[in-house]
Amino acid sequence: MSLVTTDFKDHMGILTLNHPEKRNALSKALIQDLVSGLREMKQAGARTVILRAPQGVQVWSAGHDIQELTVGGHDPQTYADPLRQAVRAIERFPAPVIAMIEGGVWGGACEMVMSCDLIFATPESTFAITPARLGVAYSIDGTLNFMKTVGLPLLREMLFTADPITAERAVQYGLINHILPADELERFTFGIAGRIARNSPLCISLLKEELRILAEAHPLTPEAFERLQNLRRALYSSEDYQEGLQAFFQKRTPDFKGR
Ligand code: YXS
């Protein structure tokens, strides 16, 4: 059974994360279904895609599948990592992808949501960026994606505390577009998606790609890249990274030693 269900009507695609047993953790299997769902929507000529979880969820997505985070000195967030593939697929989809949020959004799922073009959420939604909670060496591309959406003062707070922030705070800082009561969220989202679908799809596709390429225009010297990779290598080879993962699996608070 697919971990992402798909629907299509009136030029609008709907992708629903559907792995409640693992709180929609972004496993390789779920991401493969998500990417193939986007491919299906592109072939159908979708002019907007709504990315959602089932109505009433407490957890929209628990983020990267922690059981799939590599250990033993291997970079857990390489170019081929499923989360990186999901972010690229959303950013390169030739029409707006709208994240419709209820419940908690954790870790890499925050980046995936922020890679969407519009984000509408209920007041009860929360957003937590969690590398520091696990000792994960977050990818350079992923960190830049966060910087493209969240101003540095809030981003530092979210990264360093790994605490969830409320939807109210997120909309105040422009991290999300609108907050709607749960019983209005779907109608509002479909209404905006319908209005976008009535505009020029070729123009919107061009505008989306222009925004993507211009937002990525951050020259990074080879020396700067190698320094960041060196720092990331030290972290993902550290005892702290192992401790972060073990603490999650053992359902206990991590005891980081700083080595
Ligand atoms: O014990 P079972 O087998 O029933 O499985 C439990 C959890 O282990 C599993 N699960 C996950 N499995 C893999 N990866 C995950 N991210 C994950 N989250 C949950 O789902 C089953 C139900 O979880 P449970 O009992 O904790 O549910 P809950 O409703 O009491 O709590 C929901 C959460 C989301 C508050 C809780 O599951 C949680 O704190 N999950 C981890 C959230 C998190 O730290 N995500 C960041 C993942 S790492 C990531 O995204 C990036 C690499 S980074 O860290 O760098 O941002």
Side-chain angles (χ1 to χ4, degrees), residues 104-107 110 114 125-134 154-167 169-170 175:
V105 182
W106 295 83
C110 266
M114 291 179 198
S125 303
T126 58
F127 303 85
I129 304 178
T130 54
R133 188 178 185 200
L134 293 161
L154 177 61
L155 181 56
R156 288 192 186 102
E157 181 184 331
M158 292 183 77
L159 283 169
F160 299 158
T161 65
D163 289 341
I165 66 164
T166 62
R169 192 126 189 256
L175 195 152

Side-chain angles (χ1 to χ4, degrees), residues 39 58 64 88 95 108 122 131 173 176 185 192 208 239 246:
R39 201 174 300 120
Q58 295 301 307
H64 206 293
R88 286 195 298 271
T122 61
Y173 280 83
I176 65 179
L185 179 63
I192 293 254
K208 177 169 174 175
E239 290 174 26
Q246 286 314 310

Side-chain angles (χ1 to χ4, degrees), residues 21-23 25 59 62-66 69 77 106-108 130-131 133-134 136 138 248 251:
E21 300 76 16
K22 284 191 89 168
R23 304 298 184 268
V59 180
H64 206 293
D65 186 328
I66 297 172
L69 285 172
Q77 291 216 323
W106 295 83
T130 54
R133 188 178 185 200
L134 293 161
V136 169
Y138 210 79
F248 174 77
K251 300 188 188 292

